[in-house]
Amino acid sequence: MTTGLIPGGQPPDPRPSGMRPPQQRRDQGGQGSPHVDNRPRSSVITARAAASFEPVGRSVATARSFVRDTLQGWGFADIVDDAVVLTSELVTNAVVHAGTHADVLCLRSEDGVRIEVADRYPEREIPLQGSPATMGSPDREGGRGLQLCAAIAGRWGVEYTPTHKHVWFQLDLPDRPVGTRAAGPSLPADLLPLADSRVRVAVVQIDRAGAISAWNEDAEELFGYQADQVTGKPLTDLAAWPHTPGTGTGIAEALQLSRWEGSYGIRGATGRVTPVYASHLRVRDTDGEPSTVCLLVRDHERAVLQTPSRLPASDTGPADGQSTDPFEVFIGSPAPDDLDGLLQRTVERARDMLDGDSAFLLLATDDETELEVRASTGLPSARQRFARVPVEAGPGRYGSARMPAVHEDLTAVPGAVPLLNGTGMRSVVTVPLKVEGRLTGSLGVAAEAPGRYSNEEALRLQFAADRIALAVESARLGELERLRRGSLSFLVEASDLLAGTLDRDQTLALMAQMTVPTLATWCAVYTIADQASDPYLSYVLHEDEELIDGIKSLLSKIPPPDPVPTPGARVWTAPGAAAHEAALRSSMRSLGLTGGPTHQVASGIGPTLATASAVGGETVVLPLVARNRVIGMLTLGKPTDEHFRQEILELAEDLSRRAALALDNARLYSERTAISQSLQRSLLPPGLPEIDGVEVDVIYRAAGEGNEVGGDFYDVFPISDGAYGFAIGDVCGTGPHAAAVTGLARHALRLLAREGLSGPAVLERLNSAILDEGARSRFLTLLYGEMRPQDDGSAQLKVVCAGHPLPLRLRQNGTVEPAAEPQPLLGVIEDLELYEQTVTLDAGDVLLCVTDGVTERREGTRMLGDDGLADVLSTCTGLTAGAVAARIMRAVERFASDAPSDDMAILAMRVA
C-alpha cells in the first residue's frame, strides 16, 4: 500500500485495527520544516455518516447536499462551505474524470471534521509533498482538487489500496465561546421579532407508531387538550397537514426524518386549527427505541424556533473573483427537492430581500387563465393556500399578472390585488414568472406601510424571479406528472371498485370512501329519484367519524344545491355560512347573551364549533350526470379556511362521471330487481293453509342470484268440502322463462281443481294449455294430489305423478316406500291417459315430495339419488313436518360443497 501524507500530521483513523494506518511521508526539509505538524493527537470519533454516489454528473450536486446536511445537522455551520467545496472537487474527480463510484465518509471528532472520498481507480498518480511543480498550474482544468485541499484543509492525505484510492481532509473548528453553536448580531429593540407577552413552546413526543407519548403544559395551553386526552392518539388526528398525496412530504415521512422544520396546523379542543411552526428532532432512548420530539410555537412566532437561513455564497464565499450561480444566490444551497419547499424558500427570500412584511407566490393553471396560491409568508397561509385569482384582474398593465406592477397604496385602488384584501397590506410589488415567454406564475412582496416600493425594487424582484422561474416550472411539471400518474392509478382503482357492485347503497358508500380523505376532508352525496323530485341527502362521510352526525344535521337544515347539469365544480357557500351562524349562536349562548341558562347549552358547544370548523372551508358541488340526466350531486368540503387545488377538482370531476354512471347502473338494476321480485312473488302461493290434523311445511330455493322463483313450484290450497289440493312440479330449465310456465301451471291447477275436476282431468287440461303456448312451451313434471283428513285421524290422498320424482311415505316404524307410480310428463304429447292412485296416511306417517334438484344433487360423479333420499328420510321418524323438511335440506347442502345449480322444492306433510 502506498501512502502520501501532506502537512498536518496523523489524522484520526476510523478504520478497524486490522488495517494498516497510513504511513507519514515527510518532505525533504525533515524535522525543521515549518509546515509539518508532528504533535501527537488523539481524537475520538463521535459521529459518522456515509454515502455512495454513482458515476453520473448529478452525483456531484447530491454529494454536496449530503455533506452540507450532515455538517449542519452536527452544528458545524462554520466549516460547511469549505467542506462542500473540497467534497465537490474530489467527487468530481471520481465520478466525472475517473468514471467510478465515489464513497463519501464524514467523521465527527472533538476538534474537527474529517471527510474521506474514495474512488475505484487506483492507477492515477498522486503528487508528492514538497514538489510544488507537480501540482500543476492553477489555471489548468484538471488536478485542482488536491491543490484546494492543500490550500483550505488543516490536514489532508491520500492512500492507495489494491482496489481503491482514498483522499481525505480534515477541517478544524474555529475558536468560539464555550457552548456557542451559532450567534447573530446585536439588533435594536425595534428590529426584534414580535411575540406575545409569553412565548409558549409546546413539546410533543411522538413514538415509533406515530402516537403521542408526551404532552407538556404549554401544549395544553396552546391547544386546549389535557395530556391524558391525547396520549396514545396518532398525531394525524390533530395535525392539519398541508399535503397532497404524491406531490410532497407527508406527515408520516416528516416524522421519520432526522430533522425537519416547517408549518402546519393543530386542531384544538374548540375545533379551530392553530397554525404552528414546528421543529422536529428524531432521537432514540437508552433502549434504542426511536421517537420524534416536536417543538411547536404559533406560526407568527416562528423566529423562536426557525434556524436562520444560510447566507448566500456571494456574502460569505471567498473573494476570488469566481462567478456564483444566481439561483443559489437567491434561494441558497442546497435547493429544496420538493416544489412546496422551493416555493416556500422563494417567498421567504423575496420578503427578506425587499424587507417586506409578507410575500406570496402563485402558479398558473394549465389554461393560464387563473393563478393559484401555492406559498405565502406573513399572510394567513391556511386561508390563502390554493385560492385562485384571475390572470387579468382589471384593465391596463397594473391589472394583469403578465407584467410587473407596483402599488404604492392599495387603499387608493381597492381590490387591485385580491389576495391581499383584508390583510392590512398597503404597498405591494408583483412580478411575473415566465419561461420562454409563457406565464407560469407570479411573485409578490407586500408591506404594511404605503410607498415602500418603487421601480427599483420591482427590477430587483424581477431579476430574482427570472433566476428561479425555470427551476419552479421544472419542479411544477414534475409534481404534475406525479399527480397525473397517481390520478390515473386512483381512477383505475375507483373504476374497478365501482364496477364490482350493483347495489345502490354500496355504490354510495364507495363514492364517499374513495373521496375522503384522498380528495376532500368530508363529502356528501345527494341523489335525485326522478326529474320531479328534489335532491335528497343520501350519504355523508368525514375523515373524523365523530363529526359525521354533526355535518349531516347541518346539511339537513339547509336547502340542497341546485341540480345544475353544467360539468365542473362550482363553489357552494351555504354550508360555510350555516356553520358560521351555528357557531356564533353557540358562542352567544355560552356567554349567556340569549337570556337562557348557560349550563343547559354548554355541553353542545364543542360539537357545534367542531362542525363549524369542519365545513367552514371551501365547499364545491359536482353534478352526477348519467344518460343526459342529473341523478345527484357530489359535494366536497375542506375544513376552515382551506381551498381545493385545481388538479384535485379535475380529478374529482373525472371520478364524478364514473360514479354517476355506476350509481345510475345500480339504480336501474335495483328497479329491475324490484320489478322482477314483485312479479316472482306473485307466482308463489300467498301462504300455507291450516289443515286440521295435518302438519304441512315447505322449503323452496330458486337457483341464480336475485331469483325468488324458478322452474320449481309448489302449492297447497283448499278445494271444497274439507278437501285440499297439493302440487309440486318442475318446469324444464331455470330463470324467467321457466318461471312463466310456473305461473301458468300453478294458477291453472287452482282454477281447474276448484271446478270439481278429478286429478287426471286437471292435468290433462293443463297439458293442453302448455302445448297451446307453442314455441314458448316447456315440458313439466308434476305431482298433483287431493287430501281429505278422516275422522279416525288418518288422511286419504289421491295422487297423480306425471313424470315427477315419486313421493316417499315414511311410516312410524321407519320404513320408507314410494307412494305412487310414475306416469308421462306434461307438455310433450297431446293425448295423455293419466290415472290417480289412492294412499292412506296413518297417524304419524309422513309424505315427502321433492323436485329433482334434491335427488340429482351431485358431488363429482356421486349423486344423492332416490336411494340416498330414502336413507335420509328413514332417520326422520317422530319429527315434525318442518323438522323433516329441514333435515332433508341440510343433507342436500352437505352432500356437495358447491352451491346448488338447480331449483329445489321440498314439501313435507305429516298426519298428527
Side-chain angles (χ1 to χ4, degrees), residues 522-537:
W522 65 271
C523 83
V525 183
Y526 291 84
T527 57
I528 303 174
D530 52 62
Q531 295 182 351
S533 302
D534 293 329
Y536 173 75
L537 182 62

Side-chain angles (χ1 to χ4, degrees), residues 63-95:
R64 286 199 299 263
S65 299
F66 164 70
V67 172
R68 184 179 299 282
D69 292 342
T70 299
L71 299 190
Q72 287 180 340
W74 289 347
F76 295 160
D78 298 333
I79 60 174
V80 164
D81 291 336
D82 290 343
V84 168
V85 169
L86 296 181
T87 302
S88 179
E89 290 291 337
L90 297 180
V91 173
T92 300
N93 289 341
V95 303

Side-chain angles (χ1 to χ4, degrees), residues 302 330 343-362 373-381 384 417 419-420 423 425 427-430 442-448 453 461:
R302 65 168 55 192
F330 182 67
L343 300 183
Q344 191 61 36
R345 181 85 66 86
T346 298
V347 295
E348 291 173 357
R349 295 308 302 268
R351 177 198 59 190
D352 297 341
M353 182 178 72
L354 297 188
D355 192 23
D357 296 312
S358 64
F360 52 89
L361 192 149
L362 301 86
V373 179
R374 291 299 303 270
S376 64
T377 181
L379 296 173
S381 57
Q384 304 293 347
V417 184
L419 184 64
L420 300 180
T423 62
M425 300 297 159
S427 54
V428 60
V429 52
T430 60
S442 177
L443 176 63
V445 178
E448 295 179 353
Y453 302 117
L461 189 61

Side-chain angles (χ1 to χ4, degrees), residues 377-688:
T377 181
L379 296 173
S381 57
R383 177 172 64 87
Q384 304 293 347
R385 186 170 171 82
F386 299 125
R388 290 172 294 280
V389 296
V391 170
E392 307 293 343
R397 59 164 292 188
Y398 292 102
S400 173
R402 303 182 187 277
M403 298 290 292
V406 177
H407 294 278
E408 296 183 352
D409 192 348
L410 290 176
T411 59
V413 280
V417 184
L419 184 64
L420 300 180
N421 291 344
T423 62
M425 300 297 159
R426 297 283 299 275
S427 54
V428 60
V429 52
T430 60
V431 296
L433 275 68
K434 293 185 177 181
V435 175
E436 297 179 351
R438 183 172 56 86
L439 179 69
T440 62
S442 177
L443 176 63
V445 178
E448 295 179 353
R452 285 280 299 276
Y453 302 117
S454 62
N455 289 339
E456 181 179 352
E457 283 78 14
L459 289 175
R460 291 178 59 196
L461 189 61
Q462 185 66 70
F463 179 80
D466 293 341
R467 302 286 76 74
I468 66 163
L470 185 59
V472 169
E473 179 66 2
S474 176
R476 186 183 76 90
L477 293 177
E479 179 190 78
L480 285 176
E481 180 63 22
R482 290 191 298 273
L483 184 61
R484 285 167 181 163
R485 288 181 181 179
S487 299
L488 289 176
S489 176
F490 171 79
L491 290 174
V492 168
E493 182 180 359
S495 299
D496 289 342
L497 290 173
L498 291 171
T501 180
L502 287 172
D503 181 81
R504 176 183 176 277
D505 293 338
Q506 188 174 0
T507 302
L508 290 172
L510 283 174
M511 290 171 57
Q513 291 166 7
M514 288 184 296
T515 301
V516 176
T518 304
L519 304 182
T521 305
W522 65 271
C523 83
V525 183
Y526 291 84
T527 57
I528 303 174
D530 52 62
Q531 295 182 351
S533 302
D534 293 329
Y536 173 75
L537 182 62
S538 299
Y539 202 93
V540 175
L541 184 65
H542 190 280
E543 61 184 7
D544 184 352
E545 294 183 358
E546 295 181 356
L547 297 177
I548 294 177
D549 291 338
I551 297 176
K552 187 181 298 183
S553 175
L554 179 70
L555 294 178
S556 64
K557 297 176 182 177
I558 61 178
D562 295 331
V564 178
T566 306
R570 54 192 174 90
V571 177
W572 186 30
T573 59
H580 177 74
E581 293 177 3
L584 182 60
R585 288 195 299 269
S586 295
S587 300
M588 293 179 65
R589 287 198 300 268
S590 67
L591 298 174
L593 299 181
T594 59
T598 60
H599 65 85
Q600 295 180 358
V601 297
S603 61
I605 294 173
T608 301
L609 293 178
T611 302
S613 177
V615 303
E618 187 174 57
T619 303
V620 297
V621 178
L622 297 104
L624 298 175
V625 181
R627 298 176 175 90
N628 298 322
R629 187 174 72 86
V630 180
I631 63 171
M633 287 87 70
L634 176 63
T635 302
L636 308 180
K638 285 282 191 178
T640 300
D641 297 339
E642 290 194 18
H643 295 265
F644 287 96
R645 62 181 304 176
Q646 187 63 33
E647 291 81 6
I648 294 297
L649 293 179
E650 293 173 358
L651 179 58
E653 186 177 356
D654 287 338
L655 175 63
S656 68
R657 287 194 291 266
R658 290 165 170 79
L661 188 58
L663 184 61
D664 198 46
N665 288 339
R667 178 188 63 83
L668 293 174
Y669 178 79
S670 299
E671 290 178 355
R672 282 159 175 74
T673 300
I675 294 172
S676 174
Q677 291 175 347
S678 177
L679 292 175
Q680 290 183 63
R681 292 191 188 105
S682 68
L683 302 179
L684 293 174
L688 298 177

Side-chain angles (χ1 to χ4, degrees), residues 97-120:
H97 300 306
T100 75
H101 284 73
D103 301 322
V104 179
L105 175 66
C106 301
L107 301 170
R108 183 180 70 184
S109 63
E110 299 171 347
D111 53 356
V113 171
R114 168 177 167 165
I115 297 178
E116 179 179 304
V117 179
D119 65 40
R120 302 169 190 179

